[in-house]
Amino acid sequence: MNLHRVTSWIAFALAAVYFLLPLVATLEFSLRARRGVYSLDAYRNVLSDPQFHQTLGYSLILSLATVVLGVLIVAPTAFWVRLKLPRLRPVVEFITLLPLVIPPIVIVFGYIRLFNTSSVLPLTGSAGGTDFLLAAGYATLSLPYMYRAIDTGLRAIDIRSLTEAAQSLGAGWTLILARVILPNITVAILSGAFLTFAIVIGEYVLAALLNRPAFGPYMVWMGGNRAYEPAALAVVAFGLTWAAMAVVQTLAGRAKHLNTSR
Amino acid sequence: MTFITLQSLEKSFGATPVVRTFDLTLEKGEFVSLLGPSGCGKTTVLRMVAGFETPDQGDIVIAGESVLKKRPNQRRIGMVFQSYALFPNLTVAGNVAFGLRVAGMDRAGISRRVDDMLAMVGLSGLHGRFPWQLSGGQQQRVALARAIAPRPQVLLLDEPLSALDAKIRVSLRTEIRAIQRELGITTLFVTHDQEEALSMSDRIVVMNGGRAEQIGTPQQVYDRPATRFVAGFIGTLNLIEGQVSRQAGTASILSAAGDLPLPSDSAATGKVTVAIRPQAMSPCAPDQGNLRGTLRQIEFLGAFTRLHVTCAETTVQADCFARDLPPGLSLNQTIGLRVAAEDCVVMSG
């Protein structure tokens, strides 16, 4: 084994320890709810808590709504920019990056000011309206990831020729998007969707300030009131996120396999 | 009867004019090729007909109706692309059925038409394959079937054979032409390959710098090039500069390489350029030829032999069958080259 290889392995091991050690510590702590022995008591408590189911269910529904909203906004935009306005791509990319530099608290206060009960569009006056605001906020937060995922998917196919072929066969824009473009960037959309899911599951600021029963505020509440359960909750949330990532990897791997078979 | 009229089309991209005052008419069922080098504007003309580009000026009339205000999906034009542009998520049958579904045809009708189209392009039984499971030639056949399935009034072919290997290119061009004849569909074909254009077309439009340099049958374009560009672009040509001389009822072209006969129908005067195909020159004894020069190279090209002869300062090429070569021909020997008046194409300047 040469020196370069040894150095690489040491660097890899250090990075793995840096990343895994806190996880192992959290996992280990989550198993110590019963004095003197390892047990799954903390997990049992978490999983039997009705609030856990309620908040997780709420966040799952919200994440689905966010994905739909995100795809509806991003896919046609990225498609149109690539096809007709390639010069605007840097501008659009910059706009999609803004949620990374503008704190969520600014966004949520903006929403509350614009859509409070004394405004023209009093969305915060009803649960449904506030849920819509929350989904819109989540869609904004996930914009950098959703846009990049879909844009990368569009780059992988010849959208100009496919669009023109569909047009010459009589298809209009809606049909082209629904039947030609979206089915060919499914993996990219799924990739963006799972990243969105990961963001929505752990998001706290928007949900707390809009006073909605989401999973993020529940985790924070749990962290402030229990000892071992927050660690169990963190492991569960981490597992959910990684499961989503594994699905993305599997789908991407299949798509890559199909591409190399071509 | 004129079916398509392209009237004074002009198109610029930014400050660069790409198509300039382009006029063309196509008869119903005619196969016309736009031939020219890269950047000559041929694809832009095709894309304007398809509706993917809007002309800055001029009009496009199909079946007596201007289509300029119609969107590409309303023009009933089938198009085949160089890159095939098959929908990767759909099977062969799904691709061919796409336009039929858009048109609202019923299931039984779609199934019948898909079967017919795939049989026509020789791909029966491949309904369930995906594009990536097909060869390039098969993909282009599917693209052709897809384009003609909705029975468009015009078929546009944008360099459909360029991405294929030589053997498939030759067989597919014969098939495309046969299918086009069978359906009687008016077709505009873009290519930079002169052999394709010459072998497939009813008429050829040779384009250069956004303009049509010559429009004619393959025979006319090949035998009677109208301009120096056409002469240089299509096939191999010898260009000899000379001066028309008319004395005592006889007319000829005097050049440094020798005297050439002036075609009887030519009214050319002054300085001219004469274009002569290599196969129109035959070697002979030095005192019997129109041109006289030194044999520099003998090239055996299989079906024929090409002689490179330096006449004054010009090197000309003469193609002849092996059996027509004078016996005992050797390099650096002085030989004559005979040319008939009707094989001399006279261009002014």
Side-chain angles (χ1 to χ4, degrees), chain A residues 158 160-162 164-172 175 179-180 183-184 258 261-262, chain B residues 47 52 72-73 77 79 81 83 85-89 98-99 101-102 132 146-147 150:
Chain A
D158 183 359
R160 180 171 296 278
S161 295
L162 292 180
E164 289 177 354
Q167 280 183 303
S168 71
L169 292 165
L175 199 67
R179 297 270 303 277
V180 177
N184 285 305
L258 282 179
S261 313
R262 293 170 200 186
Chain B
R47 290 176 62 78
F52 302 137
N73 59 335
I77 288 176
M79 187 151 172
F81 299 81
S83 60
L86 294 178
F87 306 130
N89 57 312
F98 187 91
R101 289 208 177 99
V102 173
W132 54 271
R146 182 182 67 176

Side-chain angles (χ1 to χ4, degrees), chain A residues 46-59 215 218:
Chain A
V46 165
L47 295 176
S48 61
D49 183 358
Q51 243 192 312
F52 168 80
H53 297 283
Q54 191 199 342
T55 55
L56 185 63
Y58 178 84
S59 285
F215 195 60
Y218 172 69

Side-chain angles (χ1 to χ4, degrees), chain B residues 240-309:
Chain B
I240 299 165
E241 292 184 354
Q243 180 85 30
V244 174
S245 162
R246 294 177 190 275
Q247 282 178 347
T250 59
S252 60
I253 301 158
L254 310 178
S255 80
D259 296 349
L260 293 163
L262 185 72
S264 53
D265 58 348
S266 173
T269 54
K271 281 185 83 175
V272 291
T273 300
V274 186
I276 308 164
R277 295 276 171 208
Q279 60 269 30
M281 291 188 164
S282 46
C284 58
D287 56 341
Q288 290 172 359
N290 303 92
L291 305 175
R292 198 177 124 101
T294 308
L295 182 60
R296 295 292 182 201
Q297 198 183 339
I298 303 171
E299 236 181 326
F300 176 64
L301 296 173
F304 60 90
T305 300
R306 178 164 290 171
L307 307 179
H308 296 256
V309 182

Side-chain angles (χ1 to χ4, degrees), chain A residues 3 27 45-46 98 118 258:
Chain A
L3 186 67
L27 178 68
N45 292 342
V46 165
L98 286 179
S118 51
L258 282 179

